[in-house]
Amino acid sequence: MQSFTRCMPAVRQIRLSNTAFQRAAIRRPAASQILAQRRWQSSEATTSATHEGNHEHSGEGPPASKPAIKYTSETYPELKRDSKFAELTPEHVKWFRETLGTDSAILDGVNQDAGDDMEPFNSDWMRKYRGHAKLVVKPGNTEEVSKILKYCNDNMLAVVPQGGNTGLVGGSVPVFDEIVINLARMNQIRSFDDVSGILVADGGVILEVADNFLAEKNHIFPLDLGAKGSCQIGGNVATNAGGLRLLRYGSLHGNVLGLEAVLPDGTIVDDLCKLRKNNTGYDIKQLFIGGEGTIGIITGISILCPQRSNALNVAYFGLESFEKVQEAFREAKNQLGEILSAFELMDGRSQKLYNTASGNRLPLEGEHPFYCLIETSGSNTEHDQEKLEAFLEHVMGEEIVSDGVVAQDQTQIKELWGCREGVPEHLGHWGGVYKYDLSIPIGEMYSLVEECRERMMKAGLLGDSEDKPVVDVVGYGHMGDANLHLNVPVRRYDKAVEKELEPWVYEWVQKRHGSISAEHGLGIAKKPFIGYSRSETMVRLYKQIKDLYDPNGIMNPYKYI
Amino acid sequence: MQSFTRCMPAVRQIRLSNTAFQRAAIRRPAASQILAQRRWQSSEATTSATHEGNHEHSGEGPPASKPAIKYTSETYPELKRDSKFAELTPEHVKWFRETLGTDSAILDGVNQDAGDDMEPFNSDWMRKYRGHAKLVVKPGNTEEVSKILKYCNDNMLAVVPQGGNTGLVGGSVPVFDEIVINLARMNQIRSFDDVSGILVADGGVILEVADNFLAEKNHIFPLDLGAKGSCQIGGNVATNAGGLRLLRYGSLHGNVLGLEAVLPDGTIVDDLCKLRKNNTGYDIKQLFIGGEGTIGIITGISILCPQRSNALNVAYFGLESFEKVQEAFREAKNQLGEILSAFELMDGRSQKLYNTASGNRLPLEGEHPFYCLIETSGSNTEHDQEKLEAFLEHVMGEEIVSDGVVAQDQTQIKELWGCREGVPEHLGHWGGVYKYDLSIPIGEMYSLVEECRERMMKAGLLGDSEDKPVVDVVGYGHMGDANLHLNVPVRRYDKAVEKELEPWVYEWVQKRHGSISAEHGLGIAKKPFIGYSRSETMVRLYKQIKDLYDPNGIMNPYKYI
């Protein structure tokens, strides 16, 4: 392998031809691969301590051990099936079969034992949530979704809208016997205008399929995330997915121009506007963006897609303090301006653990308290290179950054990104991880990690010896979006650790007016904790919206609010 | 004056030092100046033909003639004061006086004749709309707004929220005796974080004040428009203003991170989130963005502000056809990518009329069927210059563009922008203008102008002689946003012309799924025409939202939906 080019004294830079798309494909394995690797693995670590659902655990376990996933109804014993919902009968199934017409659109566990076929629809890929659904329906078009919802609403049958089922908070699998409405068959791209960059597509289109389609037209989908090979764009919109392009292209609330959605009563919200500007009426579609399928099902989206960038560069730095990280971010915004596409933070401990657990070497010699990964993408390779050079000279000259490297080829780009993206995956090495996805005003972002570490030290829970449950307390995340992932890798899940963490973490975030769920949503996992991020007034207003659109409460019950 | 630099064979470019902000100040007169020039002028042209309120007229009249503005209640005789609203009494006024505490916060036309003092609150700057309000209240903080609204709601007193009163559809002035709630006293910037770029400010802060404040911090407000010297950011958000930076920075739906708003029942919607990511609950704030003050009053906003650009360049082209314009736009998006900040369209006729009416010379010799103005803004002058050069060489080499100039200094930048921004102002030269602010899928955008011209020709209404009412039919606008301004300059307003225009224009737009109001909103002017851009289902859903938040209907009645 080539050695990295050191930032100073001379910065060199490779030119990547047609890189943006190739690189994306190389850098991150498609979620389908990840799912293939992960599905039905590491169950012990994830299930043993999630009974209260109040943190997101992950761990690595041997593929051989595949005990059955615990039912959500067991993990959350306080949840009871709402008796207002009807129980599925063969007559119901008959109606669905006749309405959908084709056998392949129904998975019937009412009249027969659907067995393992039902499992992927009942469980999530993390093996944390598992429902008791006995019926999966796969509508082929919006009218069928409308008929299905109206029927369910009229008959008090609870439903769960399901896209790629790649969520992290248990939002897309049933809790009890809700009917799964799976969007996989609605997978058509409806139109694309290469002058305006506006794409219209079914909600069930896989994100990667949409992005590949756009790549051929020299455009990109304004959202990218690890699960792109499996997740569906309707689900992305329903969960207001954040992902890797948010810093540059903004949130879905700005990029989604129109929606088609179906309300529980069968009403088709026909707001599939293909215009950047349309100031005629309340922007109702926004309620479905991040509504997590609790007021309707998104069947189509219209979205503004940017031009694809020709040039891509990645650099990796060591820094002395979080103050320097903030300075570097300010300078990056200032000097890289319009080409800055990622500014990721990893603390020194996260990099050390990544190194230990993965065996992958770190790009820089020596140890630094903080590391950053910067990505630029722009329309001109030379210009981007010059800007990056000037930026590097400045931040190193001013001693904002202690050391750094710039990737010279795609392998190195992948390796540098690996130091960021490999962190969550490898932190489970010691047994498990307590994970929090938080949004915190940027100046105070890292204090939480420091205070949490002190807290664990004081409680005598953190140390190098086997008798200490906590290996370390680390922080990393999307600095550009003030989105911190606080991770506590542990040798074993431990009540004493949990007691120190919660509700302390949520209270800490609440005091700073942060968010207890930056990008993962509420689902079932965060439902009980919304009060830490939203006032009573806001929660009351959310309930009002829920009642307005779903008075019978059939949509994705037991979740969200 | 220096001559412009021709694009070919050699493209030269000036380097502007610290231009972005200086230029903005030079390029467009502040709205306060515009208002000073325009207020109480040109009344005949605007009022003589607006009796049905179904198009936006403008014209130029001598400052000397200032007949009283016609009351909206006379212009729209079909509107009747809703008898469910209470009439203001001295007891009401007493309550407001006691609650607000200070005399300067009240303008009382109930107990006394407020005379001319009341006029600026009762009328709009275009002199098209005029109400009968007898009370103006100016709350000093959110709690006062809450108390006022609760009192009004309890006592069935109708209100009009009012910001800078610079709207174009009559949304910010009363129709009958609604109480004006003016936000001018709520003008404090609450906080700014220069790492995240997040600004929090009162709704009554003037846009230009906010932008000047941000300029000192090397940031910009992600919205710019002609009325910046008068309009308030709360009003901008309430009307979902589009303006000049939308192509680059996107819409307010993406940039506004949080809102503080007061509902009619006094509830304070405390959603003043200072986070880029917060996936906890329905994004209710979006309903207030573009809600035009019909469900609540925006008292504070939190908004993401980009870094200010160092470099600014402007070029002006002549093109052979609208197909070439589209090609040029595609190439500009492709080659200028991240630095493209404006792509404006002017047809040849609009430029010719601008030249005739203003006496200002046009930058290019000869006549071209279409003209474009391109602006770039980026972090590096040399890079931007190189990109622009390469783009120009390409579009001229490929004969996409017939001819072009690049501004060399701020005077020329101003002059080039004048060719675009001077159009609406000078089209009134012949007597008046029928104006439409439309959003149309970009490929078909210009066909409307051509068909409209043919229509006028066929009807025998267009010609050079005095007996023809129509001078010409022209189109210009924000090509980058597919926002067309269809303008029909006339020698006099004429029923025969109106009959040809309406509902034909709206029907034409409806067939293309366009918008009858791209950026100006609905207000009172477009209320009757929402059906041309939205389905019955959507209108029903809008009414549902209105009823949910404002069951008594006291907020900005007679408007919107």
Side-chain angles (χ1 to χ4, degrees):
Chain A
M1 180 191 293
Q2 271 187 289
S3 65
F4 286 103
T5 303
R6 293 293 290 273
C7 292
M8 296 291 282
V11 180
R12 276 209 307 128
Q13 182 89 16
I14 41 107
R15 276 152 219 190
L16 304 171
S17 60
N18 188 25
T19 50
F21 177 56
Q22 289 178 22
R23 172 184 155 264
I26 291 170
R27 196 178 88 206
R28 286 182 298 277
S32 49
Q33 292 171 261
I34 297 175
L35 287 181
Q37 286 162 16
R38 292 216 186 156
R39 202 180 270 270
W40 320 130
Q41 288 182 18
S42 68
S43 62
E44 287 161 321
T46 55
T47 52
S48 62
T50 54
H51 57 284
E52 287 167 7
N54 45 6
H55 35 64
E56 294 154 47
H57 294 139
S58 78
E60 303 292 318
S65 67
K66 288 189 191 174
I69 307 167
K70 231 173 159 179
Y71 285 111
T72 308
S73 54
E74 291 166 19
T75 321
Y76 294 75
E78 69 280 11
L79 284 182
K80 304 294 175 206
R81 183 183 183 285
D82 195 326
S83 60
K84 74 180 174 185
F85 297 127
E87 309 256 2
L88 264 172
T89 65
E91 284 67 40
H92 291 135
V93 178
K94 185 161 171 274
W95 184 90
F96 284 111
R97 196 175 292 279
E98 284 170 5
T99 304
L100 292 171
T102 159
D103 277 350
S104 62
I106 299 243
L107 184 58
D108 173 12
V110 176
N111 295 301
Q112 61 203 52
D113 179 9
D116 285 351
D117 291 347
M118 195 63 84
E119 212 47 40
F121 302 96
N122 254 328
S123 317
D124 76 314
W125 69 278
M126 298 182 300
R127 299 175 59 79
K128 284 175 69 176
Y129 305 98
R130 187 181 178 200
H132 302 265
K134 287 180 181 162
L135 182 67
V136 177
V137 294
K138 298 179 183 173
N141 56 53
T142 306
E143 287 65 35
E144 287 183 357
V145 176
S146 169
K147 281 182 198 162
I148 291 168
L149 279 185
K150 185 173 188 320
Y151 180 80
C152 291
N153 197 45
D154 289 347
N155 290 278
M156 285 304 285
L157 292 164
V159 304
V160 178
Q162 188 175 75
N165 197 8
T166 60
L168 290 155
V169 290
S172 56
V173 285
V175 178
F176 297 101
D177 57 347
E178 300 91 89
I179 297 168
V180 175
I181 303 181
N182 186 290
L183 273 281
R185 284 179 65 224
M186 293 189 61
N187 57 4
Q188 298 301 303
I189 284 170
R190 301 193 195 173
S191 69
F192 178 68
D193 180 314
D194 67 352
V195 178
S196 64
I198 295 168
L199 173 81
V200 180
D202 284 355
V205 170
I206 303 280
L207 175 57
E208 197 167 50
V209 172
D211 200 47
N212 287 351
F213 170 86
L214 289 164
E216 287 170 22
K217 318 278 183 188
N218 201 29
H219 281 70
I220 59 168
F221 202 89
L223 169 78
D224 186 22
L225 42 81
K228 71 190 294 185
S230 306
C231 65
Q232 297 173 6
I233 57 175
N236 294 147
V237 172
T239 54
N240 189 29
L244 299 163
R245 291 176 182 162
L246 192 132
L247 176 66
R248 174 68 170 274
Y249 300 115
S251 88
L252 290 172
H253 287 292
N255 292 317
V256 172
L257 300 177
L259 276 188
E260 180 188 79
V262 182
L263 300 183
D265 68 1
T267 298
I268 296 173
V269 180
D270 52 344
D271 186 21
L272 211 45
C273 175
K274 291 189 266 185
L275 308 166
R276 282 199 76 162
K277 290 177 168 175
N278 187 4
N279 273 352
T280 54
Y282 303 109
D283 199 356
I284 285 174
K285 71 169 182 288
Q286 303 281 357
L287 300 175
F288 298 90
I289 303 176
E292 298 186 28
T294 59
I295 53 173
I297 296 184
I298 296 170
T299 52
I301 71 164
S302 166
I303 188 162
L304 186 68
C305 300
Q307 205 78 16
R308 221 166 179 89
S309 295
N310 303 317
L312 196 82
N313 295 299
V314 174
Y316 177 97
F317 309 124
L319 305 96
E320 260 172 37
S321 66
F322 189 65
E323 283 64 43
K324 298 276 186 191
V325 174
Q326 289 184 75
E327 271 185 71
F329 179 50
R330 234 187 323 245
E331 289 301 325
K333 286 210 307 171
N334 194 18
Q335 294 190 39
L336 301 173
E338 61 274 10
I339 62 167
L340 183 66
S341 56
F343 194 109
E344 298 286 314
L345 164 77
M346 300 82 74
D347 66 4
R349 290 161 193 269
S350 74
Q351 293 299 272
K352 204 172 165 184
L353 296 185
Y354 164 74
N355 167 248
T356 306
S358 69
N360 297 335
R361 65 167 194 146
L362 296 179
L364 297 179
E365 285 164 23
E367 284 184 17
H368 302 272
F370 290 91
Y371 296 87
C372 288
L373 182 146
I374 288 183
E375 184 191 79
T376 66
S377 52
S379 55
N380 185 305
T381 308
E382 286 80 9
H383 291 172
D384 291 8
Q385 176 183 346
E386 262 183 54
K387 284 191 181 84
L388 191 57
E389 266 180 48
F391 165 72
L392 295 175
E393 276 172 30
H394 177 78
V395 292
M396 299 197 77
E398 297 287 318
E399 295 183 353
I400 295 167
V401 156
S402 311
D403 199 0
V405 289
V406 178
Q408 292 183 70
D409 56 26
Q410 293 188 37
T411 308
Q412 292 191 348
I413 283 180
K414 193 184 160 198
E415 197 177 324
L416 293 186
W417 265 109
C419 297
R420 162 64 185 87
E421 294 196 305
V423 173
E425 164 181 359
H426 287 286
L427 285 181
H429 176 80
W430 290 265
V433 194
Y434 292 93
K435 294 168 82 74
Y436 300 89
D437 164 43
L438 311 163
S439 204
I440 298 168
I442 210 159
E444 299 185 84
M445 207 168 106
Y446 197 72
S447 313
L448 174 63
V449 183
E450 290 167 332
E451 288 183 34
C452 187
R453 190 182 298 126
E454 279 166 31
R455 202 173 161 83
M456 291 298 161
M457 294 289 283
K458 261 190 196 159
L461 296 166
L462 190 157
D464 289 335
S465 56
E466 270 303 311
D467 64 319
K468 306 286 190 189
V470 177
V471 178
D472 211 338
V473 175
V474 308
Y476 61 93
H478 315 290
M479 178 82 183
D481 315 326
N483 184 181
L484 177 79
H485 296 299
L486 169 72
N487 276 213
V488 183
V490 290
R491 297 187 176 85
R492 57 197 165 269
Y493 291 117
D494 189 308
K495 282 279 171 204
V497 177
E498 284 167 34
K499 217 180 133 192
E500 289 297 317
L501 284 170
E502 294 182 13
W504 179 81
V505 169
Y506 293 126
E507 285 169 359
W508 196 99
V509 170
Q510 183 179 36
K511 274 181 210 143
R512 275 85 184 169
H513 308 290
S515 173
I516 56 127
S517 188
E519 54 182 8
H520 296 171
L522 294 167
I524 194 159
K526 301 290 181 72
K527 178 180 189 280
F529 306 104
I530 188 170
Y532 287 101
S533 280
R534 300 293 190 180
S535 68
E536 278 177 33
T537 301
M538 291 314 294
V539 173
R540 178 170 64 77
L541 293 173
Y542 297 154
K543 287 188 172 149
Q544 199 182 37
I545 289 290
K546 170 74 175 171
D547 291 343
L548 180 71
Y549 290 111
D550 183 24
N552 289 343
I554 64 158
M555 301 294 300
N556 224 355
Y558 319 111
K559 298 166 190 164
Y560 202 66
I561 48 160
Chain B
M1 180 193 294
Q2 271 186 290
S3 66
F4 287 102
T5 303
R6 293 294 290 272
C7 293
M8 294 291 283
V11 180
R12 275 208 309 128
Q13 182 89 14
I14 41 108
R15 278 154 217 188
L16 303 169
S17 59
N18 188 26
T19 49
F21 177 57
Q22 289 178 21
R23 172 184 154 265
I26 291 170
R27 195 177 86 207
R28 286 182 298 277
S32 50
Q33 292 171 261
I34 296 174
L35 287 180
Q37 286 163 15
R38 292 215 186 157
R39 201 181 271 272
W40 320 130
Q41 290 181 16
S42 68
S43 60
E44 286 162 321
T46 55
T47 52
S48 62
T50 53
H51 58 283
E52 285 167 10
N54 46 5
H55 35 62
E56 294 154 46
H57 295 139
S58 77
E60 302 291 320
S65 67
K66 287 188 191 175
I69 307 167
K70 230 172 160 180
Y71 285 109
T72 308
S73 55
E74 291 165 20
T75 322
Y76 294 75
E78 69 281 12
L79 285 181
K80 303 293 174 203
R81 183 183 182 283
D82 194 325
S83 59
K84 74 180 175 185
F85 297 128
E87 310 255 2
L88 266 173
T89 64
E91 284 64 41
H92 292 136
V93 178
K94 185 162 170 274
W95 183 90
F96 284 110
R97 196 175 292 280
E98 283 170 6
T99 303
L100 292 171
T102 159
D103 278 349
S104 61
I106 299 245
L107 183 58
D108 173 12
V110 176
N111 295 299
Q112 62 203 53
D113 179 9
D116 286 351
D117 292 346
M118 194 64 84
E119 211 47 39
F121 303 95
N122 254 328
S123 317
D124 77 314
W125 68 279
M126 298 182 299
R127 300 175 59 79
K128 284 176 68 178
Y129 305 99
R130 188 181 178 200
H132 301 267
K134 287 180 180 161
L135 182 67
V136 177
V137 294
K138 298 180 185 173
N141 56 54
T142 306
E143 288 65 36
E144 286 183 358
V145 175
S146 169
K147 281 181 198 162
I148 290 169
L149 279 186
K150 185 175 187 324
Y151 181 81
C152 290
N153 198 43
D154 290 346
N155 290 278
M156 285 302 286
L157 291 163
V159 304
V160 178
Q162 188 174 76
N165 198 7
T166 61
L168 290 154
V169 290
S172 57
V173 286
V175 177
F176 296 101
D177 57 345
E178 300 92 90
I179 296 168
V180 175
I181 302 181
N182 186 290
L183 273 282
R185 284 179 65 222
M186 293 189 62
N187 57 5
Q188 297 302 302
I189 284 169
R190 301 191 194 175
S191 70
F192 178 68
D193 181 313
D194 66 353
V195 178
S196 64
I198 295 168
L199 174 81
V200 181
D202 285 354
V205 170
I206 302 280
L207 175 58
E208 195 167 52
V209 171
D211 199 49
N212 287 351
F213 170 87
L214 289 163
E216 287 171 21
K217 318 278 184 189
N218 201 29
H219 281 69
I220 59 167
F221 202 90
L223 168 79
D224 186 22
L225 41 81
K228 72 190 293 184
S230 305
C231 65
Q232 296 173 7
I233 57 175
N236 295 147
V237 173
T239 54
N240 188 31
L244 299 163
R245 290 175 184 164
L246 191 132
L247 175 67
R248 175 68 170 274
Y249 300 114
S251 89
L252 290 171
H253 287 291
N255 292 316
V256 172
L257 300 176
L259 276 189
E260 181 187 81
V262 183
L263 300 182
D265 68 0
T267 298
I268 296 173
V269 180
D270 51 345
D271 186 22
L272 212 45
C273 176
K274 291 189 267 185
L275 308 165
R276 280 199 79 162
K277 289 177 169 177
N278 187 5
N279 272 352
T280 55
Y282 304 108
D283 199 357
I284 285 175
K285 70 169 183 289
Q286 302 282 358
L287 299 174
F288 298 91
I289 303 176
E292 300 186 26
T294 59
I295 54 173
I297 296 183
I298 296 169
T299 53
I301 72 164
S302 166
I303 187 161
L304 186 68
C305 300
Q307 205 78 15
R308 222 169 180 88
S309 296
N310 302 317
L312 196 82
N313 296 299
V314 175
Y316 178 97
F317 308 124
L319 305 96
E320 260 172 37
S321 66
F322 189 64
E323 284 64 42
K324 299 276 185 189
V325 174
Q326 289 185 75
E327 271 186 70
F329 179 50
R330 232 185 326 244
E331 288 301 326
K333 286 210 307 172
N334 195 18
Q335 295 191 39
L336 301 174
E338 62 274 9
I339 62 166
L340 182 65
S341 55
F343 194 109
E344 298 286 316
L345 164 76
M346 300 81 72
D347 67 4
R349 291 161 192 269
S350 74
Q351 293 298 272
K352 203 173 166 186
L353 295 185
Y354 165 73
N355 166 247
T356 306
S358 69
N360 296 335
R361 64 167 195 147
L362 295 179
L364 296 179
E365 284 164 23
E367 284 184 18
H368 302 271
F370 291 91
Y371 295 87
C372 287
L373 182 147
I374 288 184
E375 185 191 78
T376 66
S377 52
S379 56
N380 185 304
T381 309
E382 285 80 11
H383 292 171
D384 291 9
Q385 177 183 346
E386 265 183 52
K387 284 192 182 84
L388 191 58
E389 266 180 48
F391 165 73
L392 295 176
E393 276 171 28
H394 177 77
V395 292
M396 298 196 76
E398 298 288 316
E399 295 185 353
I400 295 167
V401 156
S402 314
D403 198 1
V405 289
V406 177
Q408 293 184 69
D409 56 26
Q410 293 188 35
T411 307
Q412 292 190 347
I413 284 179
K414 194 184 160 198
E415 198 176 326
L416 292 187
W417 265 109
C419 297
R420 161 65 185 88
E421 296 197 305
V423 173
E425 165 181 358
H426 287 286
L427 285 182
H429 176 80
W430 289 265
V433 194
Y434 292 94
K435 294 168 81 75
Y436 298 89
D437 163 43
L438 309 164
S439 203
I440 298 168
I442 211 160
E444 300 185 82
M445 207 169 107
Y446 197 71
S447 312
L448 175 62
V449 184
E450 290 168 332
E451 289 183 34
C452 187
R453 191 182 297 127
E454 277 165 33
R455 202 173 161 81
M456 291 298 161
M457 293 289 283
K458 261 191 196 159
L461 296 166
L462 191 156
D464 289 336
S465 56
E466 269 304 310
D467 64 319
K468 306 285 189 190
V470 177
V471 177
D472 211 338
V473 175
V474 307
Y476 60 94
H478 314 289
M479 177 83 182
D481 314 326
N483 184 180
L484 177 78
H485 297 298
L486 169 71
N487 277 213
V488 183
V490 289
R491 296 186 175 87
R492 58 198 164 268
Y493 291 116
D494 189 309
K495 280 282 171 201
V497 176
E498 284 167 35
K499 218 180 134 192
E500 289 297 317
L501 284 170
E502 294 182 15
W504 179 81
V505 169
Y506 293 125
E507 284 169 358
W508 196 99
V509 171
Q510 183 180 34
K511 273 182 212 145
R512 275 87 185 166
H513 307 289
S515 173
I516 56 126
S517 187
E519 55 182 7
H520 296 171
L522 294 167
I524 195 159
K526 302 288 181 75
K527 178 180 189 281
F529 306 104
I530 188 170
Y532 287 101
S533 282
R534 300 291 192 183
S535 69
E536 277 178 33
T537 301
M538 293 312 295
V539 173
R540 178 171 64 77
L541 293 172
Y542 297 155
K543 287 189 172 148
Q544 200 181 38
I545 290 290
K546 169 73 176 174
D547 290 343
L548 180 72
Y549 290 110
D550 183 24
N552 290 342
I554 64 159
M555 300 295 299
N556 223 355
Y558 319 111
K559 298 166 189 163
Y560 202 64
I561 49 160

